[in-house]
Amino acid sequence: MVWVSSPWKIALMVFPAFILFTAFFIYPVVYAGGYSLTDAAGFSGAEFVGLDNYLALAEDSFFRRSVTNTLLILVLSVTFLVPASFGLALLMQQRVRAAGALRALLFGPAIVAPILVGLVWVFILDPRVGLLNHLLEPLGVPPVQWIGSDSLAPYSIAVVFIWASVGFAMTIFYAGLRLLPAEVMEASSLDGASGWQQLRYVTIPMMRETIGIVSLLLITNVFKIFELVYMLTGGGPVHSSETLVSYMYFVTFTDQRYGSGMTIAMVVFVIGALTSLAYLALSRRGRLA
Amino acid sequence: MPTPPGRRAPRRRGRRPAIIISAAAYLITFLVVLPILWITLLSFQQSDTILSDPFALDSLTLDNYRNALETLPLVRMYANTIIIAVASVTVGTAVSFMVSFALTRMVFRRRRTQSFLRFYLLSGLAVPVYVLLFPVYRLDLALGIYGTYLAVVIPYIAVSIPFNTLLLTGFLRDFPSELEEAAIMDGAGLFRICWSVVLPAMRPILATIVIFNVVYVFNEFPFVSILINDPDLATVSLAVSRFQGQYTVDYGGMMAAATLVLLPQLAIYAVFQRHVIAGLTAGAVKG
Amino acid sequence: MPGQNPSWSRRLRRPVGVGLAVTAILSLAACSSDADEGGKTTITLSMQNADVKTADPATWAIVEAFEDANPDVDVEVSGQPVAEHLQSLSIAAQSDTLPDVFWVYKANAEEMLEGDRLMDLSPVLDELGILDRLPDSTVANYTADGKVFGAPYQGLLTGLWVNSKVLADNGLSMPKTFDDLLAVARALDAKGVVTISNGASQSAFSVWQFLVWLDRFGFEDKADGLLDGSEKWDNPDFIRMYEHIAELRDAGAFSSNVSTQTYQQAVDQFLQGKAAFLDSGVWAASAIQESKVAPDVDFWRGPEFSDGVGEQNIVMNVASAPLVVAEKVAEDDAKLDAVKDFLEFYYSDEGQQILVDNGQPPVTDYEPKLDPVKQSVLASAIDEAQADDVTSPESQPDLLFPVDVSNAIYDSIYGVIQDQLSPSEAAALVQKALDNQ
């Protein structure tokens, strides 16, 4: 094929993607990194301030809160979601009438725009008009501030994230389960392994890769939570329910502190890069297919 | 959506657990679907009933839909979304295919360049797009495309390149080269090899990529919220955020508008669900 | 509702509506090549609302009336939400493509004046006789380096709307001092009635009454010091003010869902007769007028403090933000004449009456004609603002600072209302934002 590969033909094939990607992806990252070293804000020009923004971030209690909230959501979702969606995938493997329809319904939330997910859940969690408090009222439970109080809001965001992700994670697990060699499963069944033993000693070990991939995907997605916060709490009360990205959005676009905002963006970038690299490493090590 | 026969792991246990298992599966599915049912119910309630007695079934009305349709230019918004999706997905897929073909099929003078280039493009997978918002905003302003479709189309293309390249190079590597070689023998040029030999064989993976990207464009909010400021260019995901200002007190209208945005999406999903699921999970399972 | 609320949308710094709007870049490009078609002069007017027609009906009506009266002038109105509007202006200022007349925050206007981007309006306003008709405090507020850089856009008359029926039904009389208000809050809380209706969700800026309180704790005298760093926000006076907010909160004055309800829901709460007071301003007059509580509603400047600092008998009745004119207008005689005509019309009695008809108080000394029945609510606010001996600060405190400091001020107040911040933490939060400047 050497003759197909004249330099100009290679260039022709490579350049469109290369230029678009460089101009609108790599350059912006570099630009953000540069901005994070300045005090750009509002109308005034930018001046180089070195690492001041990074140091100031360490002192920013709202930022620290957004980190702990993100971590809280991360821990809650991953510890709950991975076993729950795995269990659900196992459940969907059983002889259930119309299992295909159920799987399609469970996957449904994954195609709903996150901004809509947030809106829908406002009408479930809102202390005054939400479904949840309406259901609890006859049981004599006083209105609970699911969103709007600093204590419960991050948990509520985690619940909504779980809702939006469970079908997606289940589907990946389900796909993984179906790829397990039928002979091995059959053999272990015939060996008299109980359902639990089979799960514990055969299924889970064979699914290790998939579990790792699902976990990393979910972690990456937690660091992208933005619309849910934006719709559910607006980050309030007083920034106590912000996540990393929603706080970055506030600082950059509402406060117009571009330098500080880009500093948070760089933090998000580093975290995102690390989790994604771990994901890539893992998925390259053992391809599922 | 029938389950393919013979793939279920064989079960030996009795009938009783089967009932419990079915019940659990149905219950969980119901709980997951419940929020969507709930807003659909609310969308037929009068606004004040939503506050006082949301379960009432005797005062259902279509007024909310009338209001929402009058206030939101839904047709316009769908048209915009489709224009943006078609433009960005077509170009994004095309340029990704071209570069992936070059990376896997063409012979570079230095192999190093080739693998570096692949790594360079894939590195985009590690960047959360939120980092790009503000810089891209400034870039759009500087290029004078702010306030046009291009303001979002170009970033969408750029954002789609890493994932597309990942899938396409993965596929092309495993793809047998005999067909191409035969075509070369026949004297086919580069264009004909790509267009009539390789592309047709890649239909399934291209479908996956197209679906993944279209769903992304339909649901994307942060970019459009910042880069589109002309109501005539607003997309459906922007419509959703617009309810807040416009309907802050009119809960019914808000719910109706949300349902109007949701339903077409769910309907399309129902028709193509196997492909959609395959598309959205492709990255994870195929690696 | 945005129709009646240009003022709150103007304060809407959260980019809730990020996205709506005529693109300023395009319109700016369009206006820089302003073609005079058929002898018509075109001037551009760029505002802080995406949809000026519905969000700012007063401005829209003035433009319409002006165009009718001046068929040779065409006013091209464009607008974007505040954040985008300011962004576009900053780009336009750098490339010298500013619109002819535009709305901008005072702090930004001063920066532009320094960069010689704005016209000194004093000769024009003087020639047109407008200067004499504006309150001295407004002129002083919009003067820098001896130049008048802006004319008041609309009035910002804020206070507490009072539902006197709620008070009477609970055997309470109208409070005058803070201690009275505290007693009212305790009594109403015991009966499960909200005293002051506020909503923090998506509307962190809806704390107008407490901005007045800052002025009752000596803000006016401290303002220069706060701006140049010689005075601290966490001074004992301001902390005392925050403590009073905390006392009100502990007395149960605020709605239990103050954090999840929006400003609109707070208004709704008041219109339903479920709250005794509403923290808002004149822009709510039309909505109140149309509701069933209208006959019982009065306007109150807010409580006086025995431990306050300086004059207590004040009402927040200031210019919200200036309308400014780009320097390059002076280079084009036809344009300059058109802009002059526009300003003359805006501040004429006819123009001011259009403001009033759209629920805005006049910004000149014009005595408006109000229908005592159909405009009873607005009339009560204007009466309160013009009551004997009452004075107004020069500016609303938040309007003197850059946007991040303003946001910190709002957060500090809602932080105390929602029990997220102690009074000293609240004050420190604003000080931190000031330190960043």
Side-chain angles (χ1 to χ4, degrees):
Chain A
M1 267 183 289
V2 178
W3 67 271
V4 191
S5 309
S6 67
W8 74 266
K9 274 183 179 153
I10 291 181
L12 180 81
M13 297 292 269
V14 166
F15 269 125
F18 180 80
I19 288 170
L20 280 168
F21 180 75
T22 306
F24 276 80
F25 211 124
I26 299 300
Y27 169 73
V29 173
V30 174
Y31 184 93
Y35 246 71
S36 74
L37 304 175
T38 72
D39 64 352
F43 274 60
S44 48
E47 256 176 55
F48 182 79
V49 294
L51 292 175
D52 283 6
N53 289 330
Y54 291 86
L55 300 175
L57 218 48
E59 301 289 303
D60 182 345
S61 61
F62 293 153
F63 174 72
R64 284 204 301 261
R65 190 70 195 260
S66 75
V67 174
T68 48
N69 282 338
T70 310
L71 292 178
L72 177 76
I73 296 169
L74 180 74
V75 171
L76 281 177
S77 343
V78 175
T79 51
F80 179 82
L81 256 177
V82 173
S85 53
F86 187 68
L88 205 52
L90 288 171
L91 196 64
M92 286 297 147
Q93 267 207 322
Q94 312 296 315
R95 222 176 279 273
V96 176
R97 196 180 283 261
L102 292 189
R103 283 203 312 277
L105 286 172
L106 284 172
F107 191 82
I111 64 135
V112 179
I115 194 84
L116 261 185
V117 171
L119 178 65
V120 167
W121 279 83
V122 166
F123 285 84
I124 295 180
L125 298 173
D126 187 280
R128 195 166 75 141
V129 300
L131 173 66
L132 202 50
N133 278 351
H134 276 300
L135 293 177
L136 292 175
E137 203 182 345
L139 307 175
V141 182
V144 183
Q145 298 263 325
W146 302 110
I147 47 179
S149 77
D150 58 329
S151 44
L152 286 179
Y155 296 90
S156 298
I157 294 167
V159 167
V160 179
F161 177 74
I162 288 170
W163 177 80
S165 311
V166 71
F168 176 68
M170 183 276 287
T171 306
I172 299 174
F173 277 130
Y174 183 79
L177 283 173
R178 293 211 333 189
L179 293 172
L180 293 183
E183 314 83 58
V184 178
M185 306 308 287
E186 211 144 325
S188 66
S189 276
L190 292 176
D191 286 349
S194 72
W196 171 249
Q197 281 171 328
Q198 194 188 33
L199 181 67
R200 171 78 181 75
Y201 296 105
V202 183
T203 314
I204 291 182
M206 291 178 73
M207 292 287 287
R208 203 173 282 147
E209 297 288 349
T210 315
I211 293 173
I213 284 173
V214 170
S215 311
L216 276 166
L217 266 184
L218 292 175
I219 292 171
T220 327
N221 286 343
V222 168
F223 284 107
K224 291 182 190 161
I225 294 179
F226 164 66
E227 290 97 328
L228 297 186
V229 180
Y230 184 83
M231 292 304 280
L232 283 172
T233 67
V238 196
H239 305 295
S240 60
S241 65
E242 301 270 15
T243 56
L244 274 171
V245 176
S246 72
Y247 189 56
M248 180 201 91
Y249 193 93
F250 170 82
V251 171
T252 314
F253 294 101
T254 309
D255 253 4
Q256 299 181 12
R257 288 187 286 138
Y258 308 119
S260 309
M262 288 305 96
T263 308
I264 305 175
M266 290 321 284
V267 173
V268 176
F269 165 61
V270 169
I271 295 173
L274 290 179
T275 48
S276 305
L277 286 178
Y279 169 63
L280 279 182
L282 204 108
S283 63
R284 186 178 294 182
R285 201 148 46 95
R287 286 201 187 177
L288 282 170
Chain B
M1 57 234 93
T3 0
R7 297 300 293 267
R8 284 194 205 107
R11 291 286 134 186
R12 298 171 301 131
R13 270 151 284 280
R15 294 274 152 233
R16 196 181 48 87
I19 294 171
I20 299 176
I21 283 169
S22 292
Y26 284 107
L27 180 70
I28 292 170
T29 311
F30 173 72
L31 285 177
V32 169
V33 177
L34 183 65
I36 293 176
L37 296 178
W38 173 242
I39 67 145
T40 314
L41 170 69
L42 289 188
S43 70
F44 290 103
Q45 296 280 17
Q46 283 154 8
S47 287
D48 44 348
T49 327
I50 291 177
L51 294 179
S52 54
D53 181 16
F55 297 107
L57 293 175
D58 52 350
S59 58
L60 300 182
T61 164
L62 282 173
D63 287 355
N64 297 326
Y65 284 90
R66 221 164 285 138
N67 279 343
L69 285 174
E70 271 168 23
T71 325
L72 277 181
L74 268 181
V75 175
R76 180 86 235 198
M77 286 173 157
Y78 270 104
N80 287 333
T81 313
I82 289 167
I83 291 171
I84 291 171
V86 167
S88 60
V89 175
T90 312
V91 179
T93 312
V95 299
S96 306
F97 170 76
M98 284 159 66
V99 76
S100 301
F101 184 87
L103 288 176
T104 51
R105 286 303 212 250
M106 296 173 90
V107 182
F108 281 51
R109 198 158 297 156
R110 264 183 278 162
R111 283 212 72 88
R112 268 258 189 80
T113 326
Q114 207 161 2
S115 50
F116 170 78
L117 201 59
R118 181 167 184 268
F119 176 80
Y120 178 72
L121 294 178
L122 292 190
S123 72
L125 289 172
V127 182
V129 296
Y130 300 94
V131 177
L132 312 178
L133 292 180
F134 178 68
V136 166
Y137 169 73
R138 299 297 291 240
L139 203 53
D140 278 356
L141 283 174
L143 296 178
I145 56 173
Y146 183 67
T148 69
Y149 288 126
L150 282 183
V152 283
V153 168
I154 298 182
Y156 284 167
I157 295 171
V159 164
S160 76
I161 289 174
F163 179 78
N164 294 352
T165 307
L166 177 75
L167 285 197
L168 288 169
T169 52
F171 183 90
L172 281 167
R173 272 187 180 163
D174 301 341
F175 182 73
S177 57
E178 285 89 39
L179 279 176
E180 282 162 78
E181 276 155 15
I184 294 170
M185 295 299 174
D186 288 352
L190 177 58
F191 177 78
R192 241 187 69 201
I193 294 175
C194 288
W195 185 256
S196 3
V197 182
V198 182
L199 263 184
M202 296 187 70
R203 266 196 218 114
I205 193 85
L206 289 176
T208 298
I209 284 175
V210 166
I211 286 168
F212 181 88
N213 286 311
V214 168
V215 172
Y216 172 75
V217 171
F218 262 77
N219 292 345
E220 207 281 332
F221 176 72
F223 271 122
V224 279
S225 77
I226 286 162
L227 302 179
I228 297 265
N229 65 344
D230 182 341
D232 288 342
L233 300 185
T235 65
V236 283
S237 68
L238 215 47
V240 176
S241 74
R242 191 92 21 101
F243 312 150
Q244 278 219 315
Q246 222 153 7
Y247 291 118
T248 325
V249 202
D250 181 6
Y251 294 118
M254 196 162 167
M255 294 294 89
T259 314
L260 284 174
V261 172
L262 248 181
L263 280 186
Q265 273 195 35
L266 289 178
I268 295 168
Y269 166 65
V271 176
F272 295 108
Q273 53 102 2
R274 301 192 118 250
H275 304 278
V276 175
I277 292 177
L280 291 193
T281 52
V285 186
K286 304 242 169 56
Chain C
M1 108 281 124
Q4 283 80 39
N5 282 302
S7 189
W8 83 261
S9 4
R10 165 173 359 114
R11 313 294 302 126
L12 192 68
R13 279 152 164 185
R14 280 230 150 211
V16 171
V18 179
L20 257 180
V22 183
T23 113
I25 295 307
L26 289 185
S27 60
L28 292 172
C31 75
S32 54
S33 65
D34 57 306
D36 294 7
E37 354 158 336
K40 260 197 172 193
T41 311
T42 302
I43 57 172
T44 51
L45 173 67
S46 180
M47 304 301 293
Q48 80 295 4
N49 277 297
D51 184 358
V52 176
K53 189 176 177 181
T54 55
D56 187 359
T59 300
W60 190 259
I62 289 180
V63 169
E64 299 256 283
F66 169 75
E67 285 183 332
D68 284 348
N70 297 271
D72 56 331
V73 181
D74 184 30
V75 183
E76 247 180 52
V77 185
S78 64
Q80 279 175 289
V82 178
E84 286 71 19
H85 177 70
L86 295 174
Q87 281 275 352
S88 311
L89 288 181
S90 82
I91 306 272
Q94 285 159 27
S95 55
D96 202 13
T97 50
L98 285 169
D100 300 330
V101 183
F102 55 98
W103 177 101
V104 72
Y105 282 123
K106 182 200 166 192
N108 303 137
E110 284 172 337
E111 284 172 38
M112 291 181 180
L113 184 71
E114 254 171 55
D116 288 325
R117 293 288 184 227
L118 297 187
M119 242 176 87
D120 175 9
L121 293 178
S122 35
V124 173
L125 294 178
D126 196 35
E127 177 194 330
L128 297 171
I130 296 171
L131 225 40
D132 300 333
R133 304 204 56 185
L134 298 175
D136 292 343
S137 62
T138 304
V139 176
N141 193 21
Y142 294 159
T143 303
D145 297 338
K147 295 175 186 163
V148 177
F149 57 79
Y153 154 65
Q154 281 176 5
L156 189 61
L157 169 52
T158 74
L160 292 169
W161 294 101
V162 191
N163 186 335
S164 47
K165 186 166 178 294
V166 172
L167 291 179
D169 287 351
N170 291 285
L172 298 163
S173 56
M174 183 63 203
K176 185 163 177 7
T177 67
F178 175 74
D179 294 328
D180 300 343
L181 181 63
L182 205 56
V184 165
R186 292 207 178 94
L188 288 176
D189 187 44
K191 299 196 173 163
V193 178
V194 171
T195 307
I196 303 180
S197 190
N198 270 100
S201 172
Q202 312 281 348
S203 47
F205 49 83
S206 59
V207 288
W208 299 279
Q209 173 60 198
F210 306 99
L211 297 172
V212 185
W213 290 16
L214 282 169
D215 274 309
R216 296 199 177 109
F217 282 83
F219 177 83
E220 194 105 285
D221 291 338
K222 297 182 175 74
D224 288 338
L226 289 165
L227 282 165
D228 68 23
S230 60
E231 175 69 80
K232 296 280 178 209
W233 194 277
D234 45 355
N235 61 68
D237 295 337
F238 284 6
I239 290 181
R240 216 156 59 242
M241 193 238 20
Y242 285 111
E243 277 163 359
H244 287 310
I245 300 179
E247 286 169 45
L248 261 192
R249 173 198 72 213
D250 293 339
F254 301 104
S255 169
S256 64
N257 62 345
V258 60
S259 9
T260 45
Q261 75 179 356
T262 59
Y263 165 70
Q264 275 315 307
Q265 286 170 300
V267 173
D268 200 44
Q269 192 171 43
F270 181 76
L271 298 184
Q272 304 285 331
K274 290 176 186 158
F277 299 87
L278 170 68
D279 183 358
S280 183
V282 274
W283 56 87
S286 320
I288 298 173
Q289 194 74 60
E290 284 161 21
S291 77
K292 62 178 167 42
V293 297
D296 306 312
V297 168
D298 241 320
F299 189 84
W300 183 37
R301 65 197 81 162
E304 298 181 357
F305 295 85
S306 54
D307 59 350
V309 178
E311 182 57 55
Q312 296 297 300
N313 187 20
I314 51 177
V315 63
M316 188 62 73
N317 181 18
V318 298
S320 54
L323 285 175
V324 301
V325 179
E327 169 67 27
K328 66 176 180 355
V329 168
E331 299 159 9
D332 180 336
D333 286 341
K335 209 161 230 187
L336 184 59
D337 286 341
V339 167
K340 275 187 191 170
D341 289 345
F342 181 70
L343 291 176
E344 183 172 21
F345 185 83
Y346 199 102
Y347 299 99
S348 68
D349 289 352
E350 188 187 352
Q352 293 300 298
Q353 183 62 36
I354 295 176
L355 277 185
V356 173
D357 292 341
N358 285 282
Q360 297 290 337
V363 290
T364 64
D365 58 3
Y366 171 65
E367 296 257 340
K369 295 193 240 3
L370 285 170
D371 185 317
V373 181
K374 284 190 199 142
Q375 290 174 303
S376 64
V377 175
L378 179 60
S380 72
I382 291 177
D383 287 349
E384 178 84 352
Q386 294 175 346
D388 289 342
D389 299 333
V390 68
T391 59
S392 171
E394 250 182 41
S395 168
Q396 185 167 279
D398 58 322
L399 295 175
L400 296 176
F401 301 99
V403 93
D404 55 327
V405 177
S406 310
N407 283 330
I409 297 174
Y410 310 143
D411 280 343
S412 72
I413 291 167
Y414 264 128
V416 175
I417 290 178
Q418 296 171 75
D419 208 1
Q420 295 290 315
L421 300 171
S422 72
S424 52
E425 285 167 351
L429 179 73
V430 182
Q431 183 54 42
K432 208 181 121 201
L434 282 170
D435 288 342
N436 284 337
Q437 298 311 308

